[in-house]
Amino acid sequence: MAEAVLPRATAGVPLERIGVVSYPRAALAAFTAVYVGTALGAYAFGPVPFQWLSQFGLLGAAGLLLLAGRLRAVPGLGVMVPLVAWAAVVTLANLVAFNFPLLMPPLASSPYPVYIALRFVGLLTFAAAAALVYYLLQNGYRDALLRRVVWVGTLTALAAVYIYFAQVQGWWEPGRTRMGTAGGEQATTFAYAFHRAMGTFREPSQLAEWLVLPFFLSFAYQGRGRVLHTLAMSAAMLLTGSLTGVLAIGGGLTGALLLGNPFSRARLRVPLRLAAVAFAGLLLFNAIAVSNGASAADLLEVISGRLGPMLDGGIGQSNRGYVYDYASRQPVPLVGAGVGHANLVFGAADGTPVISAFLSLYVNYWFSLGIPGVVLLALLLLLPVARLVRGPRYRSDPYLMLLLAVYLGWLVMYTVHSEELTLVFGIVFGMVAYEGRPGAARAGAHPA
């Protein structure tokens, strides 16, 4: 099927059917279920985390569409083929040369074969998410996709606010059935100036990371009460106290503005609205945040206290300093140890009882796949940005600026928090690739 360029009036109308079943509608339902599952990071169904079930469900949905001949190539995603091939070769070669299973830590949540397989499943789910989203957008489901992302984001934010008070007041909250990130039971209190929101995730920073996509897209949402959607997510984001979230939103929006026409009236409307929402969110934070000390919680003081040392001495002065201290003591990894193997080597050197994380996609790929892996990763991440900003619509359509802000925000988070290509970033990748595709200028602009 050739790519269709549709006016807004046709958004949500199925363009292809098999019998009485619409492929796009079925794909949209699958996307919604998968996206909900990505927000359930603290929970598992038996021994299987819901986030893993989301990955498997996504692979199943994308696989069925692929077998039915419905999926089309996503611009820029072709780099994944040599990237995955290189990852497989390097990982297998290192496994033959060294006995990496012996490095599995005692509190690892899965045996070595499952641990490595899940790393490759993560790569495939990133690609599958991009392909599924691209397919939905090709078939006129942009508004429907946006509504679901924003509504799931709002409900997740409201759940986070409820759980925040439940943990403080002793109210009921759903039992956390997944192992914590440090092994054992999930921690719900943190050494911080105020109690932090973690919602349905295992850590506050994971909630903040996940909220970046629906938060930015809420500025483009055209339904009733759209300000309430943005405000709910803003409040949840601030209650996490996550510097990662703040840097992602600030860095993403700044980069998206600078790459376009930053002083046009239409483009300045978005940062002005963001400033208003941030101010309202701070008022909400001051009203509901629970301090862990004698004085009231001061978010700006906490954030500036963490950001100051980083501005003076670099990221090595942050709580990620141990990663960069380890990296500085290692020889230049020309080829890398393989996917997952680099974490095992790091953990063995660090003496941790769980799988150690580099907390940076770029550092992880440097030690896992060496120079070829980093080059391929750079191509994968930068090609969609180049295509989008070169297009004639980018300077005039605020919606594209919002999309790029999300994308660049994720590139920031990949510096300081997340170390793998994720399903949620695959969604963002698919949206940016669609809007930056050849011929995209013919499509109607989506108002922000």
Side-chain angles (χ1 to χ4, degrees), residues 72-119:
R72 295 293 180 265
V74 179
L77 198 61
V79 180
M80 285 294 293
V81 176
L83 179 60
V84 173
W86 174 251
V89 168
V90 172
T91 304
L92 183 59
N94 276 278
L95 177 60
V96 171
F98 306 101
N99 196 350
F100 278 99
L102 289 179
L103 296 181
M104 290 294 290
L107 295 183
S109 59
S110 56
Y112 172 82
V114 176
Y115 163 70
I116 296 297
L118 286 174
R119 295 305 181 273

Side-chain angles (χ1 to χ4, degrees), residues 5 34 51 53 94 96 105 117 167 229 241-242 272 297-298 339 380-381:
V5 180
V34 165
Q51 289 181 330
L53 292 176
N94 276 278
V96 171
Q167 292 174 346
H229 289 279
S242 172
L272 290 175
D298 189 332
V339 173
L380 177 73
L381 298 180

